[in-house]
Amino acid sequence: MADADLDVVIRQLARQLHTGLMTRAKERRDRFNGLAAKAKSKETGNRFKIMAKATMEQATTAAKRLQMSADNVADSYARSMRIAASTPVAVKVEKKAAKEKPVKKAKKAKARKSK
């Protein structure tokens, strides 16, 4: 996984989160449906069924948003890496800075000797 591109890793993690989210939502839906079946009054049973349906709708919406966000991030990362790879890198030569450093040290050494 160290050699994998980060955009692939992002998509993979989003897929794992998506499956986990949907699994938990289905468990909660099943719990509400079970409570609806055990309910003593019809109103309570209908309320639990509505809660089960709402749970699945909200979880599906959240999963879609999660997937869209992960796709956007992965695409953005891949695009920025392509742009970074295609731009040329300018090499700066710092010969003057290298020459100045010994001069400064020599001046400090002379100042210390004179004191």
Side-chain angles (χ1 to χ4, degrees), residues 32-50:
F32 284 136
N33 283 333
L35 290 173
K38 291 179 184 179
K40 295 183 179 180
S41 68
K42 193 170 187 177
E43 291 176 5
T44 307
N46 286 336
R47 187 174 57 224
F48 281 127
K49 285 181 184 179
I50 291 170

Side-chain angles (χ1 to χ4, degrees), residues 16-17 20 26 28 47 50 60 64 70 90 99 103-104 115:
Q16 289 174 357
L17 290 173
K26 288 176 184 175
R28 173 120 349 144
R47 187 174 57 224
I50 291 170
T60 303
K64 284 181 184 177
K99 290 181 181 177
V103 174
K104 288 181 181 178
K115 288 182 180 180

Side-chain angles (χ1 to χ4, degrees), residues 45-62:
N46 286 336
R47 187 174 57 224
F48 281 127
K49 285 181 184 179
I50 291 170
M51 288 172 64
K53 185 178 177 183
T55 299
M56 282 308 292
E57 288 174 356
Q58 291 175 359
T60 303
T61 304

Side-chain angles (χ1 to χ4, degrees), residues 79-93:
R79 184 172 44 254
S80 66
M81 287 298 109
R82 279 194 308 270
I83 291 170
S86 67
T87 55
V89 177
V91 178
K92 294 182 180 179
V93 179

